[in-house]
Amino acid sequence: MDHVTEQHPTVKCLVWDLDNTLWRGTLLEGDEVEIPPAIRDVVVELDSRGILQSVASRNDHTHAWERLEKLGLAEYFVLPRIGWGAKSASVRAIADELNFAPSAVAFIDDQPTERAEVEFHLPDVRCYPAEDALSLPTRPEFSPTVVTHDARRRREMYQAGFRREAERSEHSGTDEEFLRSLSLELRIEHAGDEEISRVEELTLRTSQMNATGVHYSDADLRSLIEDERHEVLVASLTDRFGPHGAIGVILLERRPDAHHIKLLATSCRVVSFGVGAALLRWLTDEAARAGTALTAAFRRTERNRMMEVAYRFAGFEDAPGRPDPAEDGVQTLLLKPSRQSAPPHLKVVAPRLFSPGRELVEWGAADG
Protein backbone atom coordinates (compact mmCIF):
# COMPACT_ATOMS: atom_id res chain seq x y z
CA MET A 1 0.00 0.00 0.00
CA ASP A 2 1.36 3.40 -0.99
CA HIS A 3 0.80 5.69 2.00
CA VAL A 4 2.04 8.96 0.44
CA THR A 5 0.05 10.58 -2.34
CA GLU A 6 -1.24 14.06 -3.07
CA GLN A 7 -4.63 12.84 -1.84
CA HIS A 8 -3.06 11.63 1.42
CA PRO A 9 -1.11 14.52 2.94
CA THR A 10 0.62 14.64 6.31
CA VAL A 11 -1.13 12.58 8.97
CA LYS A 12 -2.93 14.76 11.53
CA CYS A 13 -4.02 12.00 13.89
CA LEU A 14 -2.71 8.48 14.51
CA VAL A 15 -5.15 6.05 16.15
CA TRP A 16 -3.49 3.23 18.12
CA ASP A 17 -4.77 -0.21 18.97
CA LEU A 18 -3.63 -1.25 22.47
CA ASP A 19 -3.05 -5.01 22.84
CA ASN A 20 0.17 -6.11 21.14
CA THR A 21 0.39 -2.78 19.34
CA LEU A 22 0.93 0.10 21.76
CA TRP A 23 1.76 -2.28 24.58
CA ARG A 24 3.00 -5.84 24.71
CA GLY A 25 0.47 -8.40 25.91
CA THR A 26 -3.32 -8.74 26.15
CA LEU A 27 -4.90 -6.89 29.04
CA LEU A 28 -8.06 -9.03 29.36
CA GLU A 29 -5.98 -12.22 29.51
CA GLY A 30 -4.36 -10.95 32.67
CA ASP A 31 -1.03 -10.02 31.12
CA GLU A 32 1.03 -7.40 32.95
CA VAL A 33 1.16 -5.27 29.82
CA GLU A 34 4.08 -2.91 29.32
CA ILE A 35 4.98 -0.29 26.72
CA PRO A 36 8.46 -0.81 25.25
CA PRO A 37 10.70 2.27 25.61
CA ALA A 38 11.06 2.52 21.81
CA ILE A 39 7.26 2.68 21.37
CA ARG A 40 7.05 5.30 24.11
CA ASP A 41 9.64 7.32 22.19
CA VAL A 42 7.51 7.12 19.03
CA VAL A 43 4.46 8.47 20.90
CA VAL A 44 6.45 11.36 22.38
CA GLU A 45 8.13 12.19 19.07
CA LEU A 46 4.91 12.28 17.05
CA ASP A 47 3.33 14.44 19.75
CA SER A 48 6.24 16.90 19.49
CA ARG A 49 5.55 17.22 15.75
CA GLY A 50 1.94 18.24 16.34
CA ILE A 51 0.44 14.91 15.30
CA LEU A 52 -2.51 14.08 17.53
CA GLN A 53 -2.89 10.51 18.80
CA SER A 54 -5.91 8.54 19.95
CA VAL A 55 -6.93 4.97 20.80
CA ALA A 56 -9.37 2.51 19.24
CA SER A 57 -9.31 -0.72 21.27
CA ARG A 58 -11.55 -3.66 22.15
CA ASN A 59 -11.17 -3.56 25.91
CA ASP A 60 -12.92 -2.55 29.08
CA HIS A 61 -12.58 1.23 29.06
CA THR A 62 -12.00 1.75 32.78
CA HIS A 63 -9.42 -1.01 33.07
CA ALA A 64 -7.51 0.01 29.91
CA TRP A 65 -7.50 3.72 30.69
CA GLU A 66 -6.30 3.09 34.24
CA ARG A 67 -3.45 1.06 32.77
CA LEU A 68 -2.52 3.86 30.38
CA GLU A 69 -2.49 6.29 33.29
CA LYS A 70 -0.29 3.96 35.33
CA LEU A 71 2.10 3.65 32.38
CA GLY A 72 2.31 7.44 32.16
CA LEU A 73 1.00 7.83 28.60
CA ALA A 74 -2.71 8.58 29.02
CA GLU A 75 -2.16 12.33 28.61
CA TYR A 76 -0.91 11.82 25.04
CA PHE A 77 -4.20 10.43 23.72
CA VAL A 78 -7.25 12.53 22.84
CA LEU A 79 -10.82 11.24 22.43
CA PRO A 80 -10.01 7.55 23.15
CA ARG A 81 -12.57 5.00 22.00
CA ILE A 82 -12.20 1.88 24.15
CA GLY A 83 -15.11 -0.56 24.05
CA TRP A 84 -16.58 -3.41 22.04
CA GLY A 85 -17.76 -1.76 18.83
CA ALA A 86 -16.19 -1.94 15.37
CA LYS A 87 -12.80 -0.28 15.05
CA SER A 88 -13.99 1.58 11.93
CA ALA A 89 -16.81 3.18 13.95
CA SER A 90 -14.30 4.28 16.59
CA VAL A 91 -11.91 5.73 14.01
CA ARG A 92 -14.78 7.51 12.24
CA ALA A 93 -16.02 9.01 15.53
CA ILE A 94 -12.54 10.29 16.39
CA ALA A 95 -12.11 11.89 12.95
CA ASP A 96 -15.57 13.46 13.08
CA GLU A 97 -15.08 14.96 16.54
CA LEU A 98 -11.70 16.37 15.51
CA ASN A 99 -13.29 17.63 12.26
CA PHE A 100 -10.58 15.83 10.25
CA ALA A 101 -11.09 14.23 6.86
CA PRO A 102 -10.42 10.46 6.91
CA SER A 103 -7.42 11.08 4.65
CA ALA A 104 -5.77 12.96 7.54
CA VAL A 105 -6.11 9.97 9.89
CA ALA A 106 -3.97 6.83 10.28
CA PHE A 107 -4.65 3.60 12.17
CA ILE A 108 -2.19 1.02 13.53
CA ASP A 109 -3.18 -2.48 14.69
CA ASP A 110 -1.53 -5.87 15.00
CA GLN A 111 -4.56 -7.74 13.59
CA PRO A 112 -4.94 -7.91 9.76
CA THR A 113 -8.69 -8.43 10.12
CA GLU A 114 -9.07 -5.20 12.14
CA ARG A 115 -7.04 -3.24 9.59
CA ALA A 116 -9.09 -4.73 6.76
CA GLU A 117 -12.35 -3.77 8.51
CA VAL A 118 -11.20 -0.16 8.85
CA GLU A 119 -9.89 -0.06 5.25
CA PHE A 120 -13.21 -1.42 3.94
CA HIS A 121 -15.37 1.18 5.68
CA LEU A 122 -12.85 4.05 5.60
CA PRO A 123 -10.70 3.55 2.48
CA ASP A 124 -8.98 6.94 2.88
CA VAL A 125 -7.64 6.10 6.36
CA ARG A 126 -4.05 4.87 6.16
CA CYS A 127 -3.57 1.58 8.01
CA TYR A 128 -0.30 0.16 9.33
CA PRO A 129 0.64 -3.17 10.93
CA ALA A 130 1.99 -3.04 14.48
CA GLU A 131 5.48 -4.05 13.32
CA ASP A 132 5.70 -0.71 11.45
CA ALA A 133 5.33 1.35 14.64
CA LEU A 134 9.03 2.09 15.15
CA SER A 135 9.42 3.29 11.56
CA LEU A 136 6.56 5.81 11.64
CA PRO A 137 8.67 8.86 12.61
CA THR A 138 10.92 8.23 9.59
CA ARG A 139 8.06 8.20 7.09
CA PRO A 140 7.26 11.36 5.09
CA GLU A 141 3.57 11.30 5.99
CA PHE A 142 4.53 11.64 9.67
CA SER A 143 7.16 14.31 9.00
CA PRO A 144 5.65 17.81 8.65
CA THR A 145 7.82 20.17 6.64
CA VAL A 146 7.64 22.81 9.36
CA VAL A 147 6.84 22.27 13.05
CA THR A 148 5.63 25.55 14.53
CA HIS A 149 5.33 26.51 18.18
CA ASP A 150 1.58 25.95 17.93
CA ALA A 151 2.13 22.51 16.40
CA ARG A 152 4.30 21.45 19.32
CA ARG A 153 1.44 22.19 21.71
CA ARG A 154 -1.43 21.10 19.45
CA ARG A 155 -2.55 18.33 21.79
CA GLU A 156 -2.61 20.75 24.71
CA MET A 157 -4.73 23.16 22.67
CA TYR A 158 -7.24 20.48 21.69
CA GLN A 159 -7.51 19.19 25.24
CA ALA A 160 -8.12 22.73 26.49
CA GLY A 161 -10.78 23.12 23.82
CA PHE A 162 -12.60 19.96 24.93
CA ARG A 163 -12.68 21.18 28.55
CA ARG A 164 -13.81 24.63 27.45
CA GLU A 165 -16.68 23.31 25.35
CA ALA A 166 -17.78 20.96 28.12
CA GLU A 167 -18.05 23.86 30.54
CA ARG A 168 -19.78 26.05 27.95
CA SER A 169 -22.45 23.37 27.45
CA GLU A 170 -23.07 23.24 31.21
CA HIS A 171 -23.07 27.02 31.73
CA SER A 172 -26.50 28.32 32.69
CA GLY A 173 -25.84 32.05 32.38
CA THR A 174 -25.56 34.35 29.37
CA ASP A 175 -22.87 34.10 26.70
CA GLU A 176 -21.39 37.38 27.96
CA GLU A 177 -21.11 35.95 31.49
CA PHE A 178 -19.41 32.84 30.15
CA LEU A 179 -16.91 34.90 28.16
CA ARG A 180 -16.09 37.01 31.21
CA SER A 181 -15.50 33.83 33.21
CA LEU A 182 -12.81 32.60 30.79
CA SER A 183 -10.14 35.20 31.69
CA LEU A 184 -9.40 35.67 27.99
CA GLU A 185 -6.14 37.34 27.00
CA LEU A 186 -5.46 38.46 23.43
CA ARG A 187 -1.79 39.11 22.63
CA ILE A 188 -0.77 41.01 19.52
CA GLU A 189 2.93 40.76 18.68
CA HIS A 190 5.33 41.49 15.88
CA ALA A 191 5.91 38.34 13.85
CA GLY A 192 9.41 36.88 13.95
CA ASP A 193 11.06 33.83 12.44
CA GLU A 194 9.16 31.52 14.81
CA GLU A 195 5.76 32.89 13.77
CA ILE A 196 6.22 33.29 10.00
CA SER A 197 5.15 29.77 9.09
CA ARG A 198 1.99 30.04 11.21
CA VAL A 199 1.18 33.45 9.73
CA GLU A 200 1.61 32.08 6.21
CA GLU A 201 -0.67 29.16 7.09
CA LEU A 202 -3.35 31.53 8.39
CA THR A 203 -3.31 33.59 5.18
CA LEU A 204 -3.56 30.40 3.14
CA ARG A 205 -6.22 28.46 5.08
CA THR A 206 -8.47 31.19 6.52
CA SER A 207 -11.18 32.08 4.04
CA GLN A 208 -14.35 33.11 5.90
CA MET A 209 -12.56 35.64 8.08
CA ASN A 210 -10.01 36.83 5.52
CA ALA A 211 -10.56 40.37 4.25
CA THR A 212 -8.97 39.87 0.83
CA GLY A 213 -8.40 36.15 0.33
CA VAL A 214 -4.80 36.93 -0.60
CA HIS A 215 -2.12 34.38 0.30
CA TYR A 216 1.21 35.83 1.40
CA SER A 217 4.16 33.49 0.97
CA ASP A 218 7.01 33.03 3.43
CA ALA A 219 9.21 35.24 1.22
CA ASP A 220 6.50 37.94 0.97
CA LEU A 221 6.11 38.05 4.74
CA ARG A 222 9.84 38.20 5.43
CA SER A 223 10.26 41.10 3.00
CA LEU A 224 7.44 43.00 4.72
CA ILE A 225 9.02 42.43 8.14
CA GLU A 226 12.19 44.10 6.89
CA ASP A 227 10.26 47.09 5.49
CA GLU A 228 9.86 49.87 8.08
CA ARG A 229 6.65 51.01 6.41
CA HIS A 230 4.95 47.73 7.30
CA GLU A 231 3.92 45.91 10.45
CA VAL A 232 3.42 42.14 10.36
CA LEU A 233 1.48 41.21 13.48
CA VAL A 234 0.30 37.88 14.82
CA ALA A 235 -2.48 37.54 17.39
CA SER A 236 -2.76 34.67 19.89
CA LEU A 237 -5.42 33.88 22.46
CA THR A 238 -5.31 32.14 25.84
CA ASP A 239 -7.82 31.58 28.63
CA ARG A 240 -8.00 29.74 31.94
CA PHE A 241 -8.28 26.40 30.12
CA GLY A 242 -5.10 26.92 28.10
CA PRO A 243 -3.91 28.27 24.75
CA HIS A 244 -5.86 28.71 21.53
CA GLY A 245 -2.59 29.39 19.71
CA ALA A 246 -2.05 31.86 16.88
CA ILE A 247 -5.50 32.88 15.69
CA GLY A 248 -5.03 36.05 13.64
CA VAL A 249 -2.71 38.01 11.39
CA ILE A 250 -2.59 41.70 10.52
CA LEU A 251 -0.53 43.21 7.70
CA LEU A 252 -0.44 46.97 8.15
CA GLU A 253 1.11 49.63 5.92
CA ARG A 254 1.96 53.15 7.05
CA ARG A 255 0.81 55.57 4.34
CA PRO A 256 1.18 59.38 4.40
CA ASP A 257 -2.48 59.89 5.27
CA ALA A 258 -3.53 56.62 6.89
CA HIS A 259 -2.73 53.36 8.58
CA HIS A 260 -3.75 50.90 5.86
CA ILE A 261 -4.85 47.35 6.69
CA LYS A 262 -3.59 45.28 3.75
CA LEU A 263 -4.81 42.07 5.34
CA LEU A 264 -6.79 41.07 8.40
CA ALA A 265 -7.48 37.37 8.86
CA THR A 266 -8.67 35.50 11.93
CA SER A 267 -9.39 31.86 12.59
CA CYS A 268 -13.07 30.93 12.40
CA ARG A 269 -12.77 28.93 15.63
CA VAL A 270 -12.49 32.14 17.69
CA VAL A 271 -15.36 34.07 16.12
CA SER A 272 -17.54 33.45 19.18
CA PHE A 273 -14.93 35.13 21.41
CA GLY A 274 -15.21 38.48 19.57
CA VAL A 275 -11.56 38.51 18.50
CA GLY A 276 -12.11 40.05 15.06
CA ALA A 277 -14.03 42.98 16.52
CA ALA A 278 -11.41 43.44 19.24
CA LEU A 279 -8.59 43.60 16.67
CA LEU A 280 -10.49 46.23 14.66
CA ARG A 281 -11.16 48.29 17.80
CA TRP A 282 -7.49 48.15 18.76
CA LEU A 283 -6.39 49.22 15.26
CA THR A 284 -8.95 52.04 15.37
CA ASP A 285 -7.63 53.22 18.72
CA GLU A 286 -4.02 53.12 17.50
CA ALA A 287 -4.91 55.17 14.42
CA ALA A 288 -6.80 57.71 16.54
CA ARG A 289 -3.82 57.91 18.90
CA ALA A 290 -1.56 58.62 15.89
CA GLY A 291 -4.00 61.21 14.49
CA THR A 292 -4.38 59.46 11.14
CA ALA A 293 -7.18 57.82 9.18
CA LEU A 294 -7.63 54.05 9.05
CA THR A 295 -8.20 52.38 5.70
CA ALA A 296 -8.61 48.73 4.82
CA ALA A 297 -8.33 46.60 1.71
CA PHE A 298 -11.35 44.41 1.11
CA ARG A 299 -12.12 42.02 -1.72
CA ARG A 300 -15.46 40.28 -1.63
CA THR A 301 -15.25 36.52 -2.11
CA GLU A 302 -17.81 33.73 -1.97
CA ARG A 303 -16.93 32.98 1.65
CA ASN A 304 -15.90 36.18 3.46
CA ARG A 305 -19.26 37.86 3.99
CA MET A 306 -18.63 37.69 7.77
CA MET A 307 -15.49 39.79 7.33
CA GLU A 308 -17.39 42.46 5.40
CA VAL A 309 -20.03 42.59 8.15
CA ALA A 310 -17.27 43.05 10.75
CA TYR A 311 -15.78 45.99 8.86
CA ARG A 312 -19.16 47.66 8.30
CA PHE A 313 -20.18 47.14 11.92
CA ALA A 314 -16.91 48.81 12.98
CA GLY A 315 -17.87 51.90 10.96
CA PHE A 316 -15.87 51.47 7.75
CA GLU A 317 -17.39 53.00 4.63
CA ASP A 318 -16.49 52.89 0.94
CA ALA A 319 -13.59 55.25 0.24
CA PRO A 320 -13.97 57.69 -2.65
CA GLY A 321 -12.43 56.51 -5.91
CA ARG A 322 -12.09 53.26 -7.78
CA PRO A 323 -10.70 49.97 -6.51
CA ASP A 324 -6.91 49.80 -6.35
CA PRO A 325 -5.90 49.07 -10.00
CA ALA A 326 -2.85 47.14 -8.79
CA GLU A 327 -5.05 44.52 -7.12
CA ASP A 328 -8.02 43.44 -9.18
CA GLY A 329 -11.28 43.59 -7.29
CA VAL A 330 -9.84 45.09 -4.12
CA GLN A 331 -11.75 48.08 -2.79
CA THR A 332 -10.61 50.49 -0.12
CA LEU A 333 -12.72 51.05 2.99
CA LEU A 334 -12.29 54.16 5.13
CA LEU A 335 -12.80 54.93 8.80
CA LYS A 336 -12.30 58.22 10.61
CA PRO A 337 -11.13 56.81 13.93
CA SER A 338 -11.93 57.81 17.46
CA ARG A 339 -10.42 56.50 20.68
CA GLN A 340 -11.65 53.06 21.72
CA SER A 341 -11.49 50.89 24.81
CA ALA A 342 -10.84 47.17 25.10
CA PRO A 343 -13.87 44.86 25.18
CA PRO A 344 -14.88 44.10 28.79
CA HIS A 345 -14.38 40.34 28.39
CA LEU A 346 -10.87 40.56 26.92
CA LYS A 347 -7.50 41.61 28.25
CA VAL A 348 -5.54 42.89 25.25
CA VAL A 349 -1.75 43.13 25.34
CA ALA A 350 -0.20 44.77 22.28
CA PRO A 351 2.63 46.98 20.99
CA ARG A 352 2.45 50.61 19.97
CA LEU A 353 2.24 50.67 16.19
CA PHE A 354 5.20 51.98 14.21
CA SER A 355 7.16 52.75 17.36
CA PRO A 356 10.89 52.01 17.73
CA GLY A 357 10.47 49.51 20.55
CA ARG A 358 8.52 46.27 20.58
CA GLU A 359 7.41 46.40 24.19
CA LEU A 360 3.93 45.07 24.83
CA VAL A 361 1.52 47.03 27.02
CA GLU A 362 -1.96 46.27 28.24
CA TRP A 363 -4.46 48.23 26.21
CA GLY A 364 -6.08 50.80 28.46
CA ALA A 365 -3.69 50.37 31.40
CA ALA A 366 -2.12 53.68 32.48
CA ASP A 367 -3.43 55.14 29.22
CA GLY A 368 -2.85 58.73 28.47
Side-chain angles (χ1 to χ4, degrees):
M1 173 180 173
D2 178 12
H3 294 295
V4 186
T5 68
E6 289 184 1
Q7 288 73 38
H8 290 129
T10 303
V11 170
K12 292 183 177 181
C13 180
L14 173 64
V15 182
W16 292 83
D17 171 48
L18 293 179
D19 292 331
N20 295 306
T21 303
L22 182 72
W23 57 44
R24 294 292 172 260
T26 303
L27 190 64
L28 287 177
E29 293 179 0
D31 294 343
E32 189 66 20
V33 298
E34 295 291 343
I35 298 176
I39 294 291
R40 185 182 298 269
D41 290 344
V42 169
V43 172
V44 174
E45 176 60 27
L46 296 182
D47 182 74
S48 74
R49 298 179 185 184
I51 296 171
L52 299 177
Q53 295 168 89
S54 188
V55 170
S57 173
R58 294 181 190 276
N59 262 298
D60 174 76
H61 184 280
T62 300
H63 191 193
W65 192 249
E66 286 177 350
R67 188 62 186 166
L68 277 172
E69 290 179 324
K70 184 177 180 180
L71 292 167
L73 278 187
E75 65 180 298
Y76 286 93
F77 300 105
V78 301
L79 303 175
R81 294 295 191 275
I82 303 172
W84 306 109
K87 295 282 183 73
S88 62
S90 295
V91 173
R92 187 190 302 277
I94 292 165
D96 287 348
E97 192 157 351
L98 291 172
N99 198 28
F100 288 173
S103 60
V105 177
F107 173 66
I108 184 165
D109 196 298
D110 66 306
Q111 295 294 320
T113 53
E114 298 285 20
R115 299 196 301 272
E117 191 267 337
V118 171
E119 288 181 321
F120 178 80
H121 291 284
L122 298 168
D124 287 338
V125 170
R126 285 162 279 185
C127 296
Y128 301 82
E131 56 264 29
D132 284 0
L134 297 185
S135 72
L136 295 183
T138 68
R139 295 172 178 258
E141 64 268 33
F142 290 91
S143 304
T145 304
V146 177
V147 180
T148 64
H149 177 65
D150 279 357
R152 289 191 290 271
R153 57 180 185 172
R154 182 164 289 135
R155 169 176 54 85
E156 179 188 357
M157 287 162 37
Y158 271 85
Q159 290 168 332
F162 298 145
R163 294 192 299 271
R164 186 183 301 114
E165 288 307 310
E167 183 159 322
R168 182 194 287 268
S169 67
E170 296 173 0
H171 184 74
S172 59
T174 66
D175 288 344
E176 180 67 23
E177 289 171 341
F178 178 72
L179 290 178
R180 285 176 179 267
S181 78
L182 289 177
S183 302
L184 288 158
E185 180 174 315
L186 177 65
R187 293 180 70 86
I188 305 165
E189 301 175 90
H190 292 92
D193 288 341
E194 176 71 27
E195 293 83 19
I196 285 296
S197 295
R198 182 60 177 134
V199 170
E200 180 186 12
E201 183 184 17
L202 278 167
T203 71
L204 179 64
R205 301 183 66 176
T206 303
S207 57
Q208 294 184 46
M209 295 299 289
N210 186 321
T212 63
V214 174
H215 167 231
Y216 286 82
S217 69
D218 183 283
D220 293 334
L221 292 166
R222 291 184 188 279
S223 67
L224 290 174
I225 285 176
E226 298 299 322
D227 185 345
E228 64 180 14
R229 297 171 304 164
H230 287 87
E231 298 269 31
V232 182
L233 302 162
V234 60
S236 60
L237 189 68
T238 60
D239 62 29
R240 60 184 171 86
F241 290 101
H244 296 253
I247 46 76
V249 56
I250 302 168
L251 304 183
L252 197 67
E253 180 185 5
R254 179 169 55 186
R255 294 182 173 179
D257 58 347
H259 286 173
H260 180 66
I261 307 169
K262 298 181 75 168
L263 174 70
L264 172 61
T266 64
S267 171
C268 295
R269 58 190 169 85
V270 295
V271 168
S272 63
F273 300 104
V275 169
L279 291 174
L280 282 174
R281 285 172 66 168
W282 173 73
L283 287 166
T284 300
D285 189 60
E286 285 291 304
R289 182 191 298 274
T292 188
L294 185 64
T295 59
F298 180 77
R299 179 171 61 186
R300 186 177 290 107
T301 69
E302 293 182 357
R303 302 197 64 195
N304 70 351
R305 172 64 177 164
M306 289 174 65
M307 197 72 243
E308 182 175 17
V309 170
Y311 271 129
R312 299 299 187 184
F313 188 77
F316 283 84
E317 299 178 348
D318 293 341
R322 300 172 62 84
D324 188 336
E327 300 181 72
D328 185 38
V330 176
Q331 64 185 113
T332 299
L333 305 178
L334 171 66
L335 176 71
K336 295 180 180 179
S338 58
R339 294 298 305 273
Q340 305 286 312
S341 58
H345 69 284
L346 269 176
K347 176 182 178 181
V348 180
V349 180
R352 291 279 179 251
L353 289 176
F354 299 109
S355 63
R358 296 199 165 194
E359 178 185 1
L360 301 182
V361 296
E362 182 179 346
W363 181 17
D367 210 353

